[in-house]
Amino acid sequence: MVRVHVRPVLTEIISVTVMKNEIKIKLDTSTIFHFSELESLIQSSGLEYDLSAIQKAYLFAAEKHFGQTRMDGTPYVSHLLTVSKYLVELGMDTTSVIAGLLHDTVEDCGVLLDELELEFGIEIAYIVDGLTNVHNLEDRTKYDDLENFQKMILKSVDDIRIIIIKLCDKLHNLSNMSTYSEEKKIKSAENVKALWEPISEYLGLFLIKREYQDICFNILDKENYLKVQGEYDMYVEKHLTDAKNLQTDIVELLNEYKLEGFKVDFRVKSIGSFYDKVARKAGDKQVQNQFELVPDIFAYRILVHNVEMCYEVLSLISAKFKLKVEEYDDYIAKPKKSGYKSLHTVVLPKEDLQVEIQIKTYEMHDYNEYGPASHIAYKNGGKDYSWVRSLQDYTVIQKTETDSSSYKENVFKGKVFVFTPEYNVKVLSEGSVPIDFAYEVHTEVGDSYAGAKVNGKIVSADYTLKTGDIVEILTSKNRLAPSLDILKHARMSETKSRIRRARNRVNSLNHENL
């Protein structure tokens, strides 16, 4: 299934579904209003969906949200349909699509989780509950501690589908803010830019990240957006033909050496992604004469069937074209923290033109674009990739022997994320107790430790802290060091060292006073 998106010169891009081992580089973010539209997309997806179960969820959601409208006056159910549409585009499973339809029923309609479990099963109820919990965590966001907050949100869920549905929910809300006040638009874009865009990158969901970048740029810096758009469009129009002509040379080269099953795809970088990269590299928001800072404005993806072929293609490209040597990166040998894998090199077909060549396997590409969603898509379609499976177990409820290592264990092994009463996040070792938290806040807080409240209740000194706990340390002005009993409960080695130092100081003072 091929879709051509009609946009300015920058998006002369053909996108196709991931399910046929082809490339999709844009989500269709348009809103849908009728179940028949979702049904049509599902039927053409090539994936296995339980359409009757999805229709049941839609009818349930439509009844519960009856009479509710969006800010622009459209029926609220259009939001639920569109979020579910994004999930189908990402290749997510039936459970995800149903949860997308039901994700606001508990928070906005007063539906009880017991009712969801009775109607749709424990897995759906679990995911909807997880989405509600993530929303509550988001309300506590502190912009001075966002990296730890992102990690807390990711660790707080046992099923990665919760985060993917939340990302789609945020995308549709961000895409449909025409009737919102400027203040609300800016606040929402700042939230997405600071919190959800990094999470989408961390998970490798670049399809969503690119949409976030474009929309946030337009909202947060409208004046510069219009200026950059004009300059960028002129630059791309000037070089587009030469960049696209390179495809013939690449295909002829690979055919000459009889490589089988390869695919070559051309893309132009989105304006939001370009802007972010220039601002990051140049340290400012000026783009004049700085196009050379972004060598991947034009890029080719060469997809092959195995890693050996990736390096074979790289050697052929290196022998055929003039390269910008300093721009070579091997993300197969050393993947990015998101799991992204590819070989990158930059060729110089003309003096004033740079084109990036990305060489990867089909499996790598699907994961690079869809992150965790790629695994679910292939599992849904009867395929499976063991190298993706090793990254994470996508559901705590239907765990299999092959999905032996969980997402949270791999990404956040040995860490817990807890709140101060002001909702700042502290990162502790797994198994930590309140005294460990006290010293993480400040040495003086630890030295004067007299007890702790967790989630508003007094707890014992050996209480094991969990991700999401809100911890309040009780102190005593007359206390200069924790007791030996507290030392026995401490888990972190740094905590134990600080307690010993504090006790030594007290002992020294007592000795001097004798």
Side-chain angles (χ1 to χ4, degrees):
M1 179 177 68
V2 178
R3 298 191 192 101
V4 180
H5 296 275
V6 181
R7 292 182 65 185
V9 64
L10 301 187
T11 51
E12 289 192 7
I13 295 169
I14 295 178
S15 65
V16 295
T17 58
V18 67
M19 283 66 80
K20 296 181 180 178
N21 259 355
E22 294 180 324
I23 300 170
K24 181 183 183 66
I25 48 184
K26 291 290 290 180
L27 285 177
D28 177 3
T29 57
S30 61
T31 301
I32 61 174
F33 298 91
H34 305 286
F35 181 76
S36 59
E37 297 172 88
L38 179 63
E39 182 180 21
S40 177
L41 180 63
I42 287 170
Q43 290 172 337
S44 62
S45 69
L47 289 179
E48 299 171 7
Y49 285 105
D50 185 342
L51 191 56
S52 62
I54 293 171
Q55 185 175 32
K56 176 185 174 183
Y58 164 72
L59 293 173
F60 183 91
E63 178 187 349
K64 298 300 180 182
H65 288 278
F66 181 76
Q68 295 180 6
T69 57
R70 304 271 286 167
M71 285 287 290
D72 59 3
T74 57
Y76 193 84
V77 73
S78 65
H79 170 65
L80 310 174
L81 284 167
T82 305
V83 169
S84 297
K85 183 189 80 165
Y86 295 168
L87 294 167
V88 173
E89 288 190 87
L90 289 171
M92 299 295 286
D93 58 6
T94 293
T95 298
S96 302
V97 176
I98 291 174
L101 289 166
L102 300 173
H103 76 269
D104 279 334
T105 53
V106 171
E107 190 170 354
D108 293 348
C109 305
V111 174
L112 298 178
L113 288 171
D114 288 346
E115 183 179 0
L116 283 184
E117 182 178 342
L118 183 65
E119 291 288 337
F120 301 99
I122 188 172
E123 192 174 9
I124 298 295
Y126 185 85
I127 291 175
V128 173
D129 185 41
L131 284 159
T132 304
N133 291 337
V134 167
H135 177 78
N136 292 336
L137 280 175
E138 184 185 12
D139 285 345
R140 299 171 179 171
T141 304
K142 291 287 184 182
Y143 284 85
D144 56 351
D145 200 15
L146 278 166
E147 183 177 353
N148 282 336
F149 205 94
Q150 292 155 13
K151 292 176 181 177
M152 168 177 271
I153 285 179
L154 288 168
K155 187 172 183 183
S156 70
V157 300
D158 290 303
D159 191 321
I160 197 62
R161 290 174 294 186
I162 295 169
I163 297 296
I164 296 174
I165 295 167
K166 185 67 178 180
L167 291 169
C168 291
D169 174 52
K170 283 287 175 184
L171 177 58
H172 186 242
N173 285 334
L174 193 67
S175 302
N176 291 269
M177 302 189 72
S178 59
T179 60
Y180 285 67
S181 68
E182 201 63 28
E183 181 181 359
K184 179 147 179 93
K185 286 181 187 177
I186 290 172
K187 184 177 180 181
S188 296
E190 285 176 342
N191 171 267
V192 168
K193 193 74 179 171
L195 185 61
W196 296 105
E197 184 184 307
I199 287 176
S200 67
E201 178 177 14
Y202 192 85
L203 294 179
L205 284 160
F206 290 99
L207 276 173
I208 291 179
K209 181 194 171 187
R210 284 193 287 268
E211 299 294 343
Y212 284 162
Q213 285 178 308
D214 285 0
I215 300 169
C216 289
F217 180 21
N218 192 8
I219 291 173
L220 297 176
D221 197 354
K222 186 79 172 182
E223 182 178 349
N224 221 2
Y225 178 86
L226 295 173
K227 179 180 179 182
V228 171
Q229 185 179 44
E231 294 174 344
Y232 193 52
D233 280 2
M234 285 191 291
Y235 177 86
V236 170
E237 190 169 15
K238 176 182 177 182
H239 296 286
L240 185 63
T241 299
D242 288 331
K244 291 178 75 172
N245 286 342
L246 188 62
Q247 181 160 353
T248 301
D249 295 334
I250 294 172
V251 171
E252 287 179 353
L253 174 66
L254 301 185
N255 281 330
E256 179 184 349
Y257 284 86
K258 298 185 174 13
L259 265 75
E260 294 184 357
F262 68 85
K263 180 176 178 62
V264 179
D265 174 76
F266 175 76
R267 73 108 176 100
V268 180
K269 198 173 189 69
S270 72
I271 186 171
S273 180
F274 165 77
Y275 179 73
D276 281 355
K277 199 163 190 176
V278 168
R280 186 171 65 251
K281 285 193 171 187
D284 56 40
K285 297 183 178 181
Q286 300 300 314
V287 298
Q288 292 88 338
N289 302 316
Q290 296 197 56
F291 293 106
E292 72 280 356
L293 293 178
V294 186
D296 63 335
I297 291 174
F298 304 106
Y300 282 95
R301 294 185 181 96
I302 303 176
L303 304 185
V304 294
H305 288 297
N306 56 56
V307 171
E308 292 76 15
M309 290 177 71
C310 290
Y311 288 99
E312 184 179 357
V313 169
L314 175 66
S315 67
L316 295 175
I317 294 293
S318 300
K320 172 75 173 178
F321 301 101
K322 181 181 179 182
L323 303 184
K324 191 174 183 179
V325 180
E326 63 271 24
E327 292 292 344
Y328 170 71
D329 290 293
D330 186 342
Y331 295 119
I332 294 178
K334 294 183 178 180
K336 295 182 180 182
K337 65 180 182 180
S338 66
Y340 178 93
K341 292 184 179 183
S342 180
L343 299 176
H344 286 194
T345 191
V346 174
V347 302
L348 304 169
K350 293 182 64 178
E351 185 176 339
D352 59 344
L353 176 62
Q354 306 176 85
V355 179
E356 183 174 81
I357 309 292
Q358 303 169 3
I359 308 165
K360 61 195 81 172
T361 66
Y362 287 99
E363 293 94 333
M364 289 176 192
H365 173 72
D366 292 336
Y367 184 81
N368 293 346
E369 292 297 300
Y370 292 82
S374 68
H375 175 77
I376 298 170
Y378 282 99
K379 194 172 181 180
N380 197 22
K383 302 177 183 179
D384 189 35
Y385 296 142
S386 58
W387 70 271
V388 176
R389 187 168 63 238
S390 68
L391 277 173
Q392 57 191 342
D393 164 34
Y394 294 94
T395 169
V396 73
I397 294 175
Q398 294 184 334
K399 193 168 183 177
T400 66
E401 290 182 6
T402 52
D403 289 327
S404 57
S405 39
S406 77
Y407 168 73
K408 295 199 301 179
E409 286 172 354
N410 277 287
V411 181
F412 306 112
K413 187 175 182 180
K415 301 294 182 185
V416 292
F417 301 83
V418 295
F419 285 118
T420 69
E422 295 76 31
Y423 296 114
N424 289 310
V425 182
K426 298 297 177 184
V427 185
L428 305 171
S429 297
E430 204 161 52
S432 290
V433 296
I435 188 62
D436 297 300
F437 175 85
Y439 274 107
E440 190 66 25
V441 172
H442 197 278
T443 299
E444 291 180 3
V445 175
D447 289 347
S448 58
Y449 175 90
K453 288 183 178 181
V454 176
N455 303 323
K457 297 180 180 179
I458 296 287
V459 296
S460 61
D462 62 350
Y463 174 88
T464 301
L465 297 173
K466 302 183 293 296
T467 289
D469 280 344
I470 304 170
V471 185
E472 179 185 354
I473 299 299
L474 309 176
T475 59
S476 170
K477 292 181 180 179
N478 299 322
R479 186 162 295 178
L480 300 178
S483 66
L484 285 173
D485 286 339
I486 297 298
L487 175 61
K488 288 189 294 185
H489 293 305
R491 297 289 188 273
M492 295 172 64
S493 57
E494 178 63 21
T495 303
K496 295 177 181 179
S497 297
R498 289 183 178 185
I499 292 174
R500 292 189 184 102
R501 285 198 294 269
R503 290 192 60 78
N504 287 338
R505 285 196 304 270
V506 171
N507 291 336
S508 296
L509 287 173
N510 290 339
H511 182 75
E512 290 174 5
N513 292 331
L514 289 177

